[in-house]
Amino acid sequence: MTPSTRIIVNTIAQYCRSVITMALAFVTTRVVFRGLGVVDYGIFSVVAGLVSMLGFITNALVITTQRYISYSHGYGEKSEIHRIFVNSLFIHVVIAIVLTLALLLFKDTFVEHWLNIPAGRMGAASAVYIIMVILLALTVLEAPFRALFVARENIVFISCVEILDAVVKLTMVVMSFRIAGIDKLIAYSNVMALVMLINFIVFSVYAMLKYEECTLKIKRHDICKKYILGLTHFAGWTTVDTASAVLRSQGIAVILNNFLGAVINAAFGIAMQIKGASSFIFTSIMNAMIPQIMKAEGAGNRGKMLQLSAMMSKYSTSLMILSVFPILFELPSLLTLWLGSEPEHATMFCVFLIVAFLIDGVSLGLHVANQALGSIGPYTLTMNIPKILSLGLIWLVLEWEYSVESVMWIYLIVETMVSLYRIPFTARRAGLSMLDYTKSVVLPLVMLTMAITVCCELIIHLFDFQLRFILTYGTAVVTGIVFMWTFLLKEQEKAFIKEKLHRTSHAN
């Protein structure tokens, strides 16, 4: 299978997975929200969010392991892959143990003093905290196996597992909520942990059966200071990068909880659910293209690496604008249809989070390019210091009794600054042409956004009936597809798509 074909196959697999899991996630959220109620859902969001703040360590190590394995494939040093994996697994085991002990030690401090939990639900919140710590440990242990599948570009298997994950989760939640006499909040937390355990078993067992470099046996002579230092150094900076995003989102949740209570966390939690589910386009294309970007840099092909990075930004963001952006214009009616009622501030949170996510996508490929280059310390500090400092500003505006909207404006402005600054930063570091990137990526995305905005606004002003969102979304998608084909795609890209479609039709 050629690299371009593999990218297409993996993208389709991830896209199908994302559509299915997004649909199931929305159904699951509806069931959980109605089953738990506003207060318990807010408690779960803030407790789980506090624990998952440390999940950025797992994400950093996944990125690190995948980067080193893909890079090794690029320059042909396959003999190192086994040692990279073994040392990565050793690091993950140590981190899982340390995190579990530390979080359990400070349980009372976090739950009783940091969080604003209703007195009658303090016991349930403590139980949820312990379950979430176990879930975090399983996530850490699963990370090197998942990274191996991504580096090996076995995205189809990951997609199948994640679809199974969503189906099992929904089924078990519905079944547990029908059992009388149980605490639904604790039952839901147990379901989350059990599904994570199933994922870990599936990923680890299949990886050991399929890949010779994968093993659970960590031999003393395999542990090497060189690999540990290399992995931890890169992972350390990647941790700062992922931590800034997690600390900002979950930090906002904790700050909102302290100032406004658990009810506001329900609205913010719903918005984060929608943002996470809506990001499937980015995930689909990123997982398919990142290994190729790393391999291109490992092979010394800088031009191809930058080209793939620009394509990743352009295609992932344009498809996100096409599939998700029109939803923002009909959010109040959709939230009411979905949840039965629209939680206060949920629409506002959703709009800001998704728009910020789209703006970040304009240069997201350059983020991957800088990871491929290695030595990411200066890049990480430059891009993430504003995100970390923004939490202090958010605390101040709420302390000064500004509106909740002001919090999200800070979030959006900082995200815009960071995203746009990636372009000149990468130009200085890797020779990226700022003019070409602006003409081929930024301007077409801005024009596509404007076209869909005008389309949706016209429909909203001209029509007013119960299922108007179907007309709004359908018209916006058709308009976006026509615009993308006419203005966004280059002639060689159109020819490539036509060729693939022609081959597919003849194969069938």
Side-chain angles (χ1 to χ4, degrees):
M1 188 182 293
T2 64
S4 60
T5 303
R6 187 180 295 277
I7 288 175
I8 292 172
V9 170
N10 287 335
T11 301
I12 292 173
Q14 279 284 281
Y15 188 88
C16 293
R17 183 274 305 173
S18 300
V19 171
I20 295 171
T21 56
M22 180 177 68
L24 291 173
F26 281 135
V27 175
T28 303
T29 301
R30 175 188 173 94
V31 172
V32 173
F33 183 78
R34 289 191 167 188
L36 296 181
V38 175
V39 174
D40 273 5
Y41 189 87
I43 291 172
F44 179 83
S45 296
V46 72
V47 173
L50 181 63
V51 175
S52 66
M53 283 175 65
L54 297 174
F56 61 77
I57 298 174
T58 303
N59 295 333
L61 287 168
V62 168
I63 293 169
T64 301
T65 303
Q66 182 267 316
R67 187 262 179 190
Y68 272 81
I69 293 176
S70 296
Y71 196 91
S72 297
H73 277 291
Y75 66 80
E77 290 293 333
K78 296 182 180 180
S79 60
E80 290 194 3
I81 296 176
H82 171 73
R83 303 197 74 180
I84 290 172
F85 179 81
V86 170
N87 283 273
S88 174
L89 180 60
F90 174 75
I91 294 171
H92 280 76
V93 170
V94 172
I95 290 176
I97 294 172
V98 172
L99 278 180
T100 301
L101 294 176
L103 287 171
L104 292 179
L105 181 63
F106 290 99
K107 176 179 71 70
D108 292 340
T109 301
F110 288 151
V111 175
E112 296 180 10
H113 301 291
W114 279 31
L115 303 180
N116 183 8
I117 305 295
R121 301 299 290 155
M122 190 64 69
S126 296
V128 170
Y129 180 91
I130 294 172
I131 297 168
M132 290 299 102
V133 170
I134 296 172
L135 188 148
L136 177 62
L138 290 171
T139 305
V140 172
L141 294 174
E142 180 202 87
F145 302 99
R146 181 180 288 270
L148 179 60
F149 281 106
V150 174
R152 286 283 198 162
E153 299 184 71
N154 192 350
I155 308 299
V156 174
F157 176 75
I158 295 177
S159 301
C160 292
V161 173
E162 290 177 342
I163 291 173
L164 179 64
D165 172 293
V167 173
V168 172
K169 190 179 297 180
L170 175 58
T171 304
M172 294 182 67
V173 166
V174 172
M175 291 175 61
S176 64
F177 280 6
R178 289 181 177 178
I179 300 174
I182 65 169
D183 190 305
K184 292 183 179 180
L185 178 57
I186 298 176
Y188 175 58
S189 303
N190 278 311
V191 167
M192 298 286 286
L194 181 58
V195 172
M196 188 67 241
L197 176 61
I198 295 172
N199 284 351
F200 171 71
I201 293 172
V202 172
F203 274 111
S204 58
V205 171
Y206 187 70
M208 286 187 293
L209 293 174
K210 187 171 180 63
Y211 302 120
E212 58 184 1
E213 66 265 28
C214 178
T215 178
L216 289 178
K217 297 178 181 179
I218 303 176
K219 298 179 181 179
R220 186 171 181 179
H221 68 271
D222 286 329
I223 305 304
C224 177
K225 182 179 179 181
K226 168 191 169 184
Y227 292 100
I228 290 178
L229 290 178
L231 288 165
T232 53
H233 178 75
F234 191 93
W237 286 113
T238 309
T239 298
V240 174
D241 180 61
T242 54
S244 63
V246 175
L247 281 172
R248 186 177 49 170
S249 59
Q250 299 301 335
I252 289 173
V254 173
I255 293 172
L256 290 173
N257 176 263
N258 272 273
F259 280 96
L260 303 171
V263 174
I264 197 71
N265 287 115
F268 189 73
I270 290 291
M272 290 298 293
Q273 286 269 352
I274 294 174
K275 177 200 169 187
S278 301
S279 64
F280 68 94
I281 297 292
F282 279 115
T283 305
S284 303
I285 297 180
M286 280 180 64
N287 287 343
M289 296 190 70
I290 285 176
Q292 292 291 331
I293 293 172
M294 301 297 178
K295 288 177 182 178
E297 181 63 23
N301 195 340
R302 178 68 55 80
K304 181 181 179 181
M305 186 272 288
L306 291 174
Q307 180 186 18
L308 288 172
S309 300
M311 289 174 60
M312 178 179 153
S313 297
K314 179 178 175 180
Y315 294 137
S316 59
T317 307
S318 61
L319 290 174
M320 182 80 170
I321 293 170
L322 182 66
S323 59
V324 177
F325 187 64
I327 296 174
L328 299 183
F329 294 88
E330 298 282 4
L331 262 179
S333 60
L334 289 173
L335 285 173
T336 302
L337 181 66
W338 175 33
L339 300 174
S341 62
E342 179 192 358
E344 187 179 4
H345 299 302
T347 297
M348 181 271 297
F349 283 137
C350 287
V351 170
F352 274 99
L353 288 174
I354 291 178
V355 170
F357 193 60
L358 291 173
I359 292 173
D360 181 58
V362 171
S363 64
L364 192 61
L366 302 183
H367 173 77
V368 178
N370 279 276
Q371 289 180 331
L373 293 169
S375 302
I376 58 173
Y379 168 81
T380 302
L381 289 175
T382 303
M383 299 298 150
N384 290 291
I385 284 177
K387 296 182 181 180
I388 296 172
L389 293 179
S390 68
L391 284 177
L393 185 58
I394 287 170
W395 180 280
L396 285 176
V397 298
L398 289 179
E399 181 70 28
W400 294 336
E401 298 183 354
Y402 281 87
S403 66
V404 178
E405 286 82 357
S406 62
V407 170
M408 301 312 297
W409 274 112
I410 294 171
Y411 182 98
L412 179 62
I413 291 170
V414 171
E415 194 66 31
T416 303
M417 291 169 51
V418 170
S419 178
L420 294 180
Y421 190 64
R422 285 195 193 111
I423 301 173
F425 187 95
T426 310
R428 289 195 302 270
R429 188 181 183 200
L432 174 74
S433 171
M434 292 176 58
L435 180 61
D436 288 346
Y437 192 89
T438 302
K439 289 169 60 178
S440 64
V441 179
V442 179
L443 290 181
L445 292 177
V446 172
M447 292 172 63
L448 176 62
T449 303
M450 292 174 62
I452 291 181
T453 299
V454 171
C455 174
C456 292
E457 288 292 344
L458 281 175
I459 292 174
I460 290 173
H461 282 85
L462 292 175
F463 300 97
D464 184 16
F465 55 93
Q466 187 174 8
L467 298 178
R468 185 185 62 192
F469 66 87
I470 297 176
L471 176 64
T472 304
Y473 189 83
T475 307
V477 169
V478 172
T479 302
I481 290 174
V482 172
F483 185 92
M484 287 173 63
W485 184 261
T486 306
F487 299 105
L488 194 125
L489 295 178
K490 298 178 181 177
E491 289 303 320
Q492 59 267 34
E493 294 169 342
K494 293 179 183 179
F496 176 79
I497 293 173
K498 289 177 181 178
E499 179 187 357
K500 292 299 178 184
L501 291 175
H502 181 71
R503 288 183 180 180
T504 302
S505 62
H506 277 273
N508 295 331

